Amino acid sequence: MAQKRHIIMIAVTTLLLLICMFFLYKNVQENQRYEQFISAQLNESLSELVTAILANDEILQQYTSGGRESLLPEQATNLCANFTTVSTKYNDLLNTAIHLNKVTQADINPILGNVAQDITFFLARSVIGNGLLGDCSMSESTISLDATQSMKLTEIRELNNQWSEIVKKYVPEATSLGVSEVDWNDLVNHKMWIQLLEELSVNSEQSGMTGINRFFN
């Protein structure tokens, strides 16, 4: 009788162990799928953020070398769309970093995203002349700039150039045409994307930006 009871206890213990192992395996699988999903989202957001900043740097250099008196319709539209991307993707990455407990809201501020959005509003309404905030639809002709607009674009170029230098520091392989040669998994796995966000955040804070009505007012 005692032997039978012992066998039953072993069987029950084995069954419970197998059940625990099964749920542990399922939990590991779910965590792996979640990590893969997060990594894919991070890769996409980083790629779009980096490309937009570098593309804007190139467009603004072309604007500067062209005399600073006008913008081609496609230049204005591309700048507007790219700054929208910078604002959206920076905030996406910031929220993801906070969600994953990589940083706190005290570590990284949302100033850069707010500044990029403010620039978008300035370009859409004041430069392109569209009625809706954030509407980057292309103008029908070359855009003549007044002294105030030219001054603001020069300031925007200087600011974006600082962002560009930071981006190139962490992603030297990236170009304004795309980032196909970049190993984003390496950037994510080694937490360099957090360092990138932190440095962009510090730069925006040190520049005295608030992101509220600096350019669009």
Side-chain angles (χ1 to χ4, degrees), residues 12-26:
V12 170
T13 303
T14 302
L15 179 61
L16 291 174
L17 182 61
L18 288 173
I19 291 173
C20 289
M21 290 178 64
F22 172 76
F23 282 109
L24 179 61
Y25 173 73
K26 293 292 289 183

Side-chain angles (χ1 to χ4, degrees), residues 91-110:
N91 288 331
D92 286 348
L93 289 166
L94 175 58
N95 291 332
T96 300
I98 293 173
H99 174 71
L100 295 176
N101 294 319
K102 303 297 183 183
V103 298
T104 67
Q105 290 183 331
D107 296 324
I108 300 180
N109 61 63

Side-chain angles (χ1 to χ4, degrees), residues 125-157:
R125 181 70 70 83
S126 301
V127 175
I128 300 176
N130 291 327
L132 296 176
L133 287 178
D135 179 6
C136 299
S137 301
M138 189 178 297
S139 170
E140 295 182 357
S141 59
T142 298
I143 301 167
S144 298
L145 302 171
D146 59 30
T148 299
Q149 291 170 332
S150 296
M151 181 182 66
K152 288 184 177 182
L153 275 174
T154 298
E155 188 176 353
I156 289 169
R157 178 189 178 277

Side-chain angles (χ1 to χ4, degrees), residues 165-202:
E165 291 302 315
I166 294 172
V167 162
K168 290 174 183 177
K169 174 181 173 181
Y170 290 95
V171 198
E173 309 94 332
T175 70
S176 61
L177 299 178
V179 287
S180 59
E181 301 300 321
V182 177
D183 185 355
W184 293 109
N185 288 324
D186 184 65
L187 193 70
V188 170
N189 292 337
H190 288 82
K191 308 298 185 294
M192 286 187 289
W193 67 284
I194 296 294
Q195 297 171 32
L196 171 61
L197 288 182
E198 288 175 340
E199 192 161 341
L200 287 170
S201 173
V202 169

